[in-house]
Amino acid sequence: MASEITYAEVKFKNELPAPVVKGLPKKKKPEQHPQKYPLWLPWLISLLLLLVCIALVVVLLERGWTCCPKGWRRFQGSCYFLSPDTMSWSESAQNCTGMGSQLVVINSKAEQEFLSVQIGQLMRRDNFYIGLFLEKVGQWQWVDKTPYNGTPMFWREGEPSPGHENCTVMHAPEKALYNWNNVKPDTMHHRICEVAAVIV
């Protein structure tokens, strides 16, 4: 007769639990954010900024900055000095030359308007010599040897008057654009010097 086999499960009280083998910690995958702009957009912006910078450099090199000496006023391509002191016409001309300039030569209505506004803003109500003088009877000329052919002309009504008044001033009390007045050369007046603006 076959014998029966009996199996039994035996547990021991002081037995240590079987060690649990842990694997290496899993690395977290970086979170995927959907791109909000195309990859080429930063490159396009950088390229556009570079082109703008190049254009600015080219413009500045071609046109440059126009500068005037301290205390001078700039208009278009010239600088103007309105003197605080008074001199005769010949002393005024020499003073301007000593500063590397000349008594102002007015070439346009815009320039006349600018200068009229400048002298109108001053508290002084005095006249300012300009570079127009009577070379000989009936022949006015600018200090830079430009012949005066009557244009532009901004004489006050009744001027130029005949006589020995062979120099020209801008008559400051005159509020109108037409404010030139001829005066004697030894009269003490302020002066307007003009020099070309420096381009850097």
Side-chain angles (χ1 to χ4, degrees), residues 25-96:
K26 293 182 180 178
K27 289 184 180 177
K28 284 188 177 180
K29 291 183 180 178
E31 293 182 23
Q32 297 281 336
H33 293 293
Q35 278 188 318
K36 296 180 181 177
Y37 53 84
L39 288 173
W40 50 264
L41 187 60
W43 291 101
L44 179 63
I45 291 171
S46 299
L47 180 63
L48 289 173
L49 287 172
L50 179 64
L51 290 173
V52 167
C53 288
I54 291 171
L56 283 173
V57 168
V58 168
V59 166
L60 290 177
L61 287 177
E62 285 180 358
R63 293 181 60 199
W65 296 98
T66 52
C67 301
C68 290
K70 186 176 180 180
W72 292 58
R73 301 155 195 239
R74 184 172 60 84
F75 178 70
Q76 295 178 345
S78 294
C79 303
Y80 302 89
F81 175 73
L82 282 69
S83 74
D85 59 336
T86 61
M87 296 180 174
S88 68
W89 191 89
S90 61
E91 290 171 330
S92 294
Q94 287 172 2
N95 180 266
C96 290

Side-chain angles (χ1 to χ4, degrees), residues 87-93 103 129-133 143 167-168 185 187:
M87 296 180 174
S88 68
W89 191 89
S90 61
E91 290 171 330
S92 294
L103 282 171
Y129 278 120
I130 64 174
L132 185 63
F133 67 99
V143 290
C167 297
T168 309
T187 313

Side-chain angles (χ1 to χ4, degrees), residues 189-200:
H189 292 295
H190 297 281
R191 62 202 167 278
I192 303 174
C193 302
E194 177 184 15
V195 69
V198 176
I199 299 174
V200 292

Side-chain angles (χ1 to χ4, degrees), residues 138-156:
Q139 188 175 341
W140 290 89
Q141 184 170 325
W142 291 105
V143 290
D144 67 352
K145 306 299 181 197
T146 303
Y148 176 73
N149 57 11
T151 55
M153 65 176 183
F154 300 98
W155 294 104
R156 293 174 64 205

